Amino acid sequence: QVDYRDLGLIVNVRVNDLICEIVPETQGEEGMNVYGQVIAPRPGRPPLVPQGSNTVLSADGTKLFAAESGNLVYMGGRFNVVTTFQISSDIDVKTGNINFLGDVVIKGSVQEGFSVTAGKTITVSGMVTGATLTAQGDITVKNGVFASTIQSQYGNINIAFGENDTITTRGNLTSTSLVGCRIKIEGDLDCTKNPGALVGGDCSVMGKFAVAQLGNKSYTPTIISVGSTTNLLLEMDSLEKQCTAIDEYIEKINTSISSAIRLKVQKGMDKKPLKTRIEEIQKIINAKETLSVQVTKCVYPNVRINLNSFTTTTSAEYGKCNIVCGPNDIEFR
């Protein structure tokens, strides 16, 4: 059951986590030697307070807490919380997997079979091959991504190019080319910089869709869906049911003893992120009527286009165009 890819390089602490306790010095007590003579006490020396960067001392000076979330490092006799974890080499057997609460900066590449998880952002200067990147914020890969999983909870994803990847985010995706990728994003897709090709795979975009080249001369099967909100509607229905269940629970505890106030407050806090997500989904659904696919170079045959409630598969080649929903079908303008 040993995880050979967890080398314990990071000690994660969150805001307000207790780092250490500081025991004040004492004046000591009188002692006695073997002759029955009294030995005067030797007063203790004040302890060194190991307060470093991003830490805070309690009012009475006996406890040290983390002021930021990050990696706890003991250096120079002091505890420091580092909010950015930087690796100057590749992510491989020497580093193991990375799981950090803050920002992760990797100067090298991420090798096959390894994963990087960040509570904030991830920046990779090299390539990502057969690996997994997961972040709450933005993910940037300055070189290519091959056969990997890239997922961001709330941020934007920016990769040089992707091939046979799985990419998901609630934010935007920017790349120069995407080949054979499975993409699901709630923001905008921008693949217009040279060569700007989206070829093969299955791409679902809720926001704006802009590419230079859609499909390939070899008629590679390519599927794109823009404004398809079926999954979002199902998610919103589930969230609304959870909110209703919380409201019913709060109504029940309103008739209970006053000690239930704490539970009521907690349930209210549980409901807040659900309502926020429902509002996000409603904004996406309301905006879908104006969506289109912007192509700056060409569209090749055998591209299946799902735009809002319409579907078509191209059988001819089109030049620069704007693909929109007409009165009865998809139109190429």
Side-chain angles (χ1 to χ4, degrees):
Q1 296 180 355
V2 174
D3 185 355
Y4 292 102
R5 295 186 179 182
D6 183 3
L7 303 185
L9 298 180
I10 298 174
V11 180
N12 281 308
V13 293
R14 299 182 182 276
V15 176
N16 297 327
D17 277 358
L18 177 64
I19 296 175
C20 70
E21 294 187 8
I22 302 165
V23 180
E25 74 279 10
T26 63
Q27 295 303 312
E29 299 178 359
E30 290 185 347
M32 184 176 293
N33 63 19
V34 295
Y35 300 105
Q37 298 169 336
V38 175
I39 301 176
R42 179 182 298 174
R45 289 180 296 179
L48 174 66
V49 178
Q51 183 179 7
S53 61
N54 296 320
T55 62
V56 60
L57 198 62
S58 63
D60 59 6
T62 61
K63 292 181 174 65
L64 188 66
F65 297 95
E68 297 283 350
S69 296
N71 183 28
L72 181 62
V73 178
Y74 186 74
M75 182 172 56
R78 299 179 185 277
F79 286 107
N80 303 274
V81 178
V82 182
T83 57
T84 299
F85 187 75
Q86 183 168 303
I87 296 289
S88 58
S89 61
D90 292 348
I91 299 298
D92 52 21
V93 293
K94 294 180 181 179
T95 63
N97 294 332
I98 301 298
N99 189 341
F100 183 52
L101 293 173
D103 299 305
V104 176
V105 178
I106 301 164
K107 297 297 184 181
S109 299
V110 182
Q111 301 297 336
E112 184 175 358
F114 290 88
S115 66
V116 178
T117 303
K120 293 183 179 178
T121 67
I122 297 176
T123 303
V124 182
S125 297
M127 305 179 70
V128 178
T129 306
T132 300
L133 304 185
T134 305
Q136 293 291 310
D138 295 346
I139 298 177
T140 301
V141 182
K142 297 181 180 179
N143 280 308
V145 180
F146 298 94
S148 299
T149 299
I150 312 295
Q151 48 196 10
S152 170
Q153 185 71 13
Y154 300 104
N156 300 320
I157 295 177
N158 188 341
I159 62 177
F161 58 90
E163 184 174 331
N164 297 323
D165 303 310
T166 298
I167 302 173
T168 58
T169 181
R170 291 184 184 175
N172 305 323
L173 170 61
T174 304
S175 180
T176 60
S177 69
L178 298 164
V179 179
C181 295
R182 295 161 298 283
I183 299 169
K184 185 177 181 181
I185 63 174
E186 294 183 12
D188 303 334
L189 171 68
D190 186 342
C191 188
T192 55
K193 292 184 179 179
N194 191 41
L198 191 150
V199 181
D202 191 339
C203 180
S204 176
V205 177
M206 299 297 174
K208 297 178 181 178
F209 193 112
V211 296
Q213 173 188 320
L214 191 54
N216 189 264
K217 291 181 180 180
S218 60
Y219 296 5
T220 304
T222 304
I223 302 174
I224 67 167
S225 301
V226 184
S228 179
T229 57
T230 302
N231 292 333
L232 287 179
L233 289 171
L234 291 173
E235 182 185 352
M236 188 167 69
D237 182 63
S238 175
L239 293 171
E240 288 175 342
K241 288 179 179 178
Q242 293 179 54
C243 289
T244 301
I246 290 175
D247 290 337
E248 291 174 352
Y249 182 84
I250 292 175
E251 186 63 28
K252 288 180 181 179
I253 65 175
N254 280 338
T255 60
S256 304
I257 58 176
S258 58
S259 61
I261 293 177
R262 182 177 58 85
L263 289 175
K264 182 177 178 180
V265 172
Q266 180 61 48
K267 286 297 180 180
M269 294 174 62
D270 293 341
K271 182 180 174 181
K272 187 174 180 180
L274 303 180
K275 297 293 288 184
T276 300
R277 179 58 179 159
I278 289 173
E279 291 173 0
E280 291 176 355
I281 294 174
Q282 286 175 334
K283 287 180 181 179
I284 294 172
I285 293 173
N286 292 337
K288 78 182 183 69
E289 300 301 332
T290 60
L291 294 177
S292 64
V293 178
Q294 298 176 2
V295 181
T296 60
K297 289 184 179 179
C298 59
V299 182
Y300 290 100
N302 206 21
V303 176
R304 180 180 176 182
I305 302 170
N306 303 309
L307 186 56
N308 292 340
S309 58
F310 296 111
T311 299
T312 189
T313 300
T314 56
S315 57
E317 186 174 324
Y318 297 87
K320 179 180 178 181
C321 61
N322 195 26
I323 306 172
V324 299
C325 288
N328 302 310
D329 203 351
I330 291 176
E331 298 179 357
F332 295 77
R333 299 176 180 174

